Amino acid sequence: MRKKPTSTCKAVQKKVLIGLDIFSGAGGLSLGATMSGITMRYAIERDPYAAKTYRENFENSEVVCQDIKEIEPRGLVKEKDLFIILGGPPCQGFSLSNTKTRTMANPVNLLYNEFIRFIKELQPTWFVFENVWGLTKIQNGEIQKHIELCFQELGYTVSSQVLWASDYGVPQKRFRFFIVGNKNGVKFEFPEKSKKKTVTVEEAIGDLPDLTNGDSYESLPYKARKISEYAQLMRKQEKTSNQNYVSRNNDLVIERYKHIKQGENWQAIPDYLMQNYADKSRCHSGIYKRLRADAPSVVISNYRKSMLIHPYQDRGLSVREAARIQSFPDDFIFEGPLSFMQQQIGNAVPPLLAKAVIDKILTYQDDT
């Protein structure tokens, strides 16, 4: 009997694409990249609680909790060929809501130089630089041009754009500025908007348990109801809702909440309940904002201090609700005291927005 020929061909192994996240925070950019198939092997985050959150959720990553200015890139990254560096240098100084130190005299604003240093030393195939859109407005756009020129002088072809998170499946009207660069001459085009309808607050959090002011439940059952496609995506394999933690507000704050309808803010509060405000004209429009159930959320970057209000219940958002609105799935666990968890969520890049950008990068892989 004639023997079948033995194949000498080996199965083609998919190349592992290694990523580094600097200024990683809790890991919003990294989670989006992981969803796209990137192996996030390294992260740098100075805040110990955010670094602990990152370690909890990216078990195979090496997380360095240290001032980035003290870190030598080649002392951290072992691989010769790094596929991508992600990062969002601290952006408080660039924010348009920061009227006091929104200049380059603010030392926080100079941390973008550390991002540039890592690109210069490690020469990744791609990088994604993310920040608040206010960066594009400083000095009539000259700072944006300067940063992009720095990357170009390192040999990178760059593209930049402001993206709305709600255009990419995130139930939040949040917009972020991105610069994407490639060292092999590829001109990146940003992803098109999703053709699906925007996700509302009700679709995002409507299946999560009812809570009251100051509640702190590690685990509660989901509501028994038909759930949205988005909620199904967020639940993954979880059987219960975790980290149902709500800040405790005083009785005066709760009384104010009762006067605010969906979509309204502090202006709906009667004057007799606002007497401790010396000048109400200085109140930001996002203060005491009750979310609309039938629309994407307003930005939740500082949702505890802004006292954003649940659409139906007279309380602030829980950790899990805020995480859902940011597109963190329910199996993502935040570490640290409650206020630090809240800040980590508010500071993060929505993972689904990051995934949209990384997915588009991967369509150019054969060209790089």
Side-chain angles (χ1 to χ4, degrees), residues 48-64:
Y49 292 119
K52 187 175 181 181
T53 293
Y54 196 102
R55 289 191 186 99
E56 172 71 21
N57 295 281
F58 302 91
E59 295 179 353
N60 297 319
S61 296
E62 181 178 347
V63 185
V64 179

Side-chain angles (χ1 to χ4, degrees), residues 80-121:
K80 181 179 179 181
D81 298 317
L82 188 65
F83 181 71
I84 194 166
I85 290 180
L86 313 170
C91 57
Q92 292 89 344
F94 289 131
S95 174
L96 290 184
S97 64
N98 174 15
T99 58
K100 295 182 178 179
T101 59
R102 194 177 63 239
T103 69
M104 296 316 292
N106 184 348
V108 174
N109 291 344
L110 298 178
L111 285 173
Y112 71 83
N113 285 318
E114 295 302 313
F115 190 102
I116 293 169
R117 177 172 70 92
F118 269 69
I119 299 300
K120 180 179 180 181
E121 294 292 326

Side-chain angles (χ1 to χ4, degrees), residues 190-348:
F190 283 87
E192 296 181 359
K193 300 177 183 180
S194 171
K195 295 180 180 179
K196 296 182 179 180
K197 69 180 184 68
T198 56
V199 182
T200 66
V201 169
E202 174 65 28
E203 291 170 325
I205 68 173
D207 65 311
L208 296 178
D210 290 338
L211 300 167
T212 59
N213 179 44
D215 276 349
S216 183
Y217 294 99
E218 179 56 40
S219 181
L220 288 172
Y222 294 116
K223 289 180 181 177
R225 55 174 291 179
K226 183 179 180 180
I227 64 174
S228 69
E229 181 181 347
Y230 181 84
Q232 290 177 333
L233 177 65
M234 293 296 103
R235 282 193 189 188
K236 300 183 77 173
Q237 301 301 315
E238 295 298 295
K239 303 300 182 183
T240 58
S241 170
N242 56 47
Q243 298 198 304
N244 307 284
Y245 310 143
V246 183
S247 289
R248 180 172 297 280
N249 296 124
N250 63 41
D251 292 343
L252 175 59
V253 169
I254 298 302
E255 187 62 29
R256 288 169 176 164
Y257 286 174
K258 296 176 181 178
H259 293 272
I260 303 170
K261 298 177 182 178
Q262 290 188 24
E264 294 182 342
N265 62 10
W266 65 271
Q267 293 173 313
I269 302 172
D271 286 342
Y272 74 90
L273 291 175
M274 296 287 284
Q275 292 178 3
N276 61 322
Y277 281 81
D279 183 4
K280 290 191 298 183
S281 66
R282 300 182 64 180
C283 289
H284 190 276
S285 62
I287 301 295
Y288 286 100
K289 184 85 169 182
R290 188 182 292 274
L291 302 185
R292 286 180 52 184
D294 63 351
S297 171
V298 297
V299 176
I300 64 165
S301 60
N302 210 348
Y303 71 95
R304 178 180 63 87
K305 292 182 180 179
S306 296
M307 290 177 283
L308 294 185
I309 313 169
H310 189 278
Y312 305 113
Q313 301 162 37
D314 293 329
R315 61 170 177 83
L317 298 174
S318 72
V319 165
R320 186 50 50 197
E321 289 162 346
R324 280 272 190 100
I325 290 171
Q326 277 280 60
S327 73
F328 281 96
D330 292 0
D331 64 351
F332 196 97
I333 302 300
F334 297 90
E335 298 286 351
L338 176 56
S339 63
F340 285 83
M341 293 183 188
Q342 293 166 328
Q343 197 64 51
Q344 289 170 37
I345 296 169
N347 286 347

